[in-house]
Amino acid sequence: MKILVTGSQGFFGSYVCQDLLNNGYDVVGVDNYSKYGVVVRPQDEHINFTLYIEDVTSNNFLKIVEDEKPKMIVAIAAMVGGISYYHKHAYDLIAENERITAQTFDAAINGYKKGYLKRIIIISSSMVYENSDLYPTPETEAKICPPPVSTYGFQKLASEYFAKGALQQYGLPYTTVRLFNCVGVGEEKTVKEEKTTSGNISMVMSHVLPDLITKILQGQNPLHILGDGKQTRSYTNGKDLARGIRLIIESEKVVNNDFNLSTSVTTTVLELAELIWKILNPDKEFKYVSDKPFQNDLQINIPDTTKAKELLGFEAEITLEETVKEVI
């Protein structure tokens, strides 16, 4: 089976490509290197991987899909970043991601009409639940809770409505996947990243795990964290999440359905910081200070993972400690 992955050279896209290639799929990647610049990824030299260096919003993308005739599209390409990135690129996040989403669906609808494309898989986000107050949060909350405040969360919710609209008007089957805090190896400093300081050290990538590791490796003591550290997150290794995407590709039970994909274990930012500290500084007392938090820093993010377990048989297997050591 041939799968086309947009954003294939990105952090999560690379995990998806590797998992699919390791399990016998032909993979077509499309990426314009806009986030990290030119990077080398493990899938690049695989015999069953074809990479097109192209912007998804270009007309060339439509031709690529038409020429390659994939059976499914995994739509990952998007402007995305950590908490500081959300605030600094609030307009670009919604405007550019809408363009990417629309062009991806145009290509998918065309492929479905011509009979070669069977389904599109939309990578959404837990940020669609930004204003939910139900924890753990089930998939049904996306229809009930108030819309997200952040432009990023609002656009991710909009991408889910693209899927519903394409199904209603054209019959295009879809599966929506809401990711929670993907962590692992492969995050780089983004091209558009602006300098943000945390104490006396610049935040390298503004994602919490690499940021904390970098600050501790550089000797920051006491460690600076955003806010009081009580923010809860569900840190899931990219390998686990990529396996979940493959299970979704292989299942007929998930068509025209939505899923939370995540570990069921929640961890506070402070607990994560202490874990990293104990690994890197086992003989030093853990000390921290709180920096002023960003305005839209989600305080509670706890997924209900029952649906994925029951319909997909998916459960995250890699522990947070294993992931932290891998990233270090």
Side-chain angles (χ1 to χ4, degrees), residues 60 80 90 97 103 108 167 176 220 223 234 250 264 282 286 292:
N60 286 338
V80 62
N97 286 347
Q103 188 81 322
L167 172 66
T176 296
Q220 190 179 72
L223 179 66
S234 300
E250 295 170 349
S264 59
F286 174 66
K292 183 180 178 180

Side-chain angles (χ1 to χ4, degrees), residues 119-260:
R119 186 167 22 127
I120 184 170
I121 297 168
I122 306 304
I123 303 303
S124 185
S125 167
S126 62
M127 289 295 287
V128 302
Y129 304 129
E130 191 175 351
N131 279 326
S132 175
D133 57 5
L134 177 61
Y135 313 107
T137 310
E139 288 83 353
T140 51
E141 266 295 281
K143 299 177 182 177
I144 301 171
C145 66
V149 172
S150 68
T151 57
Y152 176 77
F154 189 87
Q155 195 283 320
K156 283 301 183 184
L157 183 61
S159 71
E160 299 186 12
Y161 277 84
F162 269 82
K164 294 175 183 178
L167 172 66
Q168 181 177 335
Q169 186 171 348
Y170 297 105
L172 174 67
Y174 73 90
T175 305
T176 296
V177 183
R178 300 183 186 120
L179 299 184
F180 286 70
N181 304 106
C182 178
V183 288
V185 175
E187 288 189 279
E188 309 286 346
K189 186 173 182 179
T190 68
V191 173
K192 294 185 178 181
E193 198 92 43
E194 297 179 31
K195 185 175 180 180
T196 303
T197 57
S198 180
N200 61 336
I201 293 175
S202 294
M203 294 173 68
V204 178
M205 285 161 273
S206 78
H207 282 286
V208 63
L209 178 56
D211 174 55
L212 290 173
I213 290 174
T214 300
K215 288 189 287 191
I216 295 172
L217 283 172
Q218 291 186 24
Q220 190 179 72
N221 188 3
L223 179 66
H224 285 247
I225 63 173
L226 288 174
D228 59 12
K230 295 179 182 178
Q231 309 97 307
T232 60
R233 300 290 185 264
S234 300
Y235 302 106
T236 314
N237 193 290
K239 296 174 188 174
D240 276 332
L241 293 174
R243 175 172 53 84
I245 298 298
R246 177 168 49 82
L247 291 174
I248 285 170
I249 288 171
E250 295 170 349
S251 175
E252 293 298 321
K253 298 178 181 178
V254 302
V255 177
N256 304 331
N257 214 330
D258 53 5
F259 288 88
N260 293 334

Side-chain angles (χ1 to χ4, degrees), residues 246-302:
R246 177 168 49 82
L247 291 174
I248 285 170
I249 288 171
E250 295 170 349
S251 175
E252 293 298 321
K253 298 178 181 178
V254 302
V255 177
N256 304 331
N257 214 330
D258 53 5
F259 288 88
N260 293 334
L261 212 58
S262 172
T263 177
S264 59
V265 179
T266 57
T267 307
T268 67
V269 171
L270 191 56
E271 288 170 339
L272 175 65
E274 288 190 79
L275 172 61
I276 300 167
W277 186 277
K278 288 177 182 177
I279 293 171
L280 290 174
N281 293 327
D283 300 322
K284 293 182 181 179
E285 180 185 359
F286 174 66
K287 297 179 181 179
Y288 74 96
V289 294
S290 295
D291 290 343
K292 183 180 178 180
F294 284 95
Q295 181 180 354
N296 294 329
D297 189 3
L298 196 62
Q299 295 302 300
I300 305 176
N301 200 16
I302 305 174

